[in-house]
Amino acid sequence: MTLYIKKLFIPLAFFLSMQLSYSQLGFSHELGVIAGPVAYQSDFGVRSDFETNAGNSGIGLGIVHYINFSYRADCNCYTTDKYFNDHFKLRSEISWNKTKLEHFGEWVESNKTSENANRLRGHSGEAQNWDIGMQLEFFPRSIREFSAGVYSFAPFVSLGAHYVSYNPSVYTNYVSSDFSNLNNFGDIDDPSNFYSFWEPGSVSDKSGSAWSIVSSVGTRYKLTVLSDLMVDLRFQYFFSDKTDGLDHQLSSNKANDWMVWLNFGYIYYLD
């Protein structure tokens, strides 16, 4: 946990300074919580395979904060009539996600009996990330009219960037057919316990950090005058291929890690 805090300190300081700057301008604030299932797309399993997508799934949790440009807290009044103020919000977020990873698909089917198939079946992992970042949300409908209860739903799309601190875990329970690896059973630093066509160093449980692009589409539902329910579907692309603890250089590894997160949230208007 101390390692995570150190890695997130600089972006967290920037995050807080941005919030203080907007607070001084008098814009209103919203605070909420989000949670939902995560589908992790990595070098585990077969890409674009339903079993992989369904099997390598986890959970995400987060705290979100919004700057609402359409309303000023310092005067309890709406801002001047500008398109940006009435259709955009700035979303800041601190979130965490965790996903257990295994190999699924054709290379580990029951009819595959090679040592490499057994190595893949014995190899598992876990992706765990802490995120902090911002997204700019665009609401096609008027934010003021939604706040006033003119309509119940407010769809939106967003785009932003998140700083990610990742800490993968790696496991293997592979036992060779001749039991020759019993002395190094479970040793993740021994390449012979993993797929033989991966180059040494492909498997690692080292933590690190990276930037990511985040985009989502969703909607809010007006629950009360001062609260909304929210649902959005997020796509997050990491500028790293090591967040899952596996980075081999075979031709099948064509992209960095990415994930899809369907989250549900509750948003409360602070002022």
Side-chain angles (χ1 to χ4, degrees), residues 50-81:
F50 176 79
E51 188 178 8
T52 298
N53 296 342
N56 288 335
S57 59
I59 186 71
L61 306 170
I63 299 174
V64 292
H65 172 266
Y66 291 87
I67 298 294
N68 187 338
F69 301 104
S70 69
Y71 194 81
R72 293 187 64 90
D74 56 355
C75 66
N76 290 326
C77 61
Y78 285 110
T79 57
T80 55
D81 189 16

Side-chain angles (χ1 to χ4, degrees), residues 202-224:
S202 296
V203 178
S204 173
D205 63 351
K206 292 182 179 179
S207 60
S209 59
W211 286 95
S212 65
I213 292 178
V214 178
S215 179
S216 65
V217 58
T219 187
R220 287 197 185 194
Y221 172 75
K222 178 55 66 178
L223 188 63
T224 69

Side-chain angles (χ1 to χ4, degrees), residues 61-257:
L61 306 170
I63 299 174
V64 292
H65 172 266
Y66 291 87
I67 298 294
N68 187 338
F69 301 104
S70 69
Y71 194 81
R72 293 187 64 90
D74 56 355
C75 66
N76 290 326
C77 61
Y78 285 110
T79 57
T80 55
D81 189 16
K82 295 181 179 179
Y83 186 85
F84 179 86
N85 298 60
D86 199 30
H87 291 274
F88 287 90
K89 290 185 180 182
L90 184 62
R91 169 176 170 172
S92 304
E93 176 182 317
I94 298 177
S95 59
W96 167 87
N97 62 78
K98 183 177 181 180
T99 307
K100 291 185 177 181
L101 303 169
E102 295 183 26
H103 290 280
F104 297 92
E106 59 177 307
W107 305 114
V108 292
E109 291 179 352
S110 57
N111 61 341
K112 303 291 184 179
T113 58
S114 67
E115 288 299 305
N116 268 333
N118 290 332
R119 290 185 177 100
L120 289 177
R121 279 190 282 264
H123 176 205
S124 62
E126 187 175 80
Q128 183 175 187
N129 305 315
W130 283 92
D131 278 34
I132 183 170
M134 293 183 177
Q135 297 164 243
L136 188 63
E137 291 189 353
F138 169 66
F139 293 78
R141 287 179 161 182
S142 167
I143 293 174
R144 296 177 184 176
E145 292 181 3
F146 173 70
S147 298
V150 175
Y151 41 80
S152 299
F153 290 92
F156 64 85
V157 294
S158 73
L159 181 65
H162 283 198
Y163 180 82
V164 181
S165 178
Y166 59 85
N167 183 38
S169 298
V170 178
Y171 312 98
T172 178
N173 59 12
Y174 164 71
V175 177
S176 61
S177 58
D178 59 1
F179 303 104
S180 60
N181 73 326
L182 289 181
N183 289 332
N184 60 357
F185 174 79
D187 185 0
I188 66 171
D189 294 320
D190 187 346
S192 66
N193 281 333
F194 299 96
Y195 194 67
S196 65
F197 292 103
W198 295 339
E199 63 282 358
S202 296
V203 178
S204 173
D205 63 351
K206 292 182 179 179
S207 60
S209 59
W211 286 95
S212 65
I213 292 178
V214 178
S215 179
S216 65
V217 58
T219 187
R220 287 197 185 194
Y221 172 75
K222 178 55 66 178
L223 188 63
T224 69
V225 174
L226 293 178
S227 64
D228 301 338
L229 296 180
M230 182 191 72
V231 58
D232 77 342
L233 181 65
R234 169 190 297 181
F235 170 83
Q236 184 169 5
Y237 178 83
F238 304 101
F239 289 104
S240 172
D241 201 18
K242 300 179 179 180
T243 66
D244 61 343
L246 175 59
D247 182 22
H248 64 77
Q249 302 302 314
L250 299 182
S251 58
S252 57
N253 181 13
K254 298 179 180 179
N256 289 338
D257 302 329

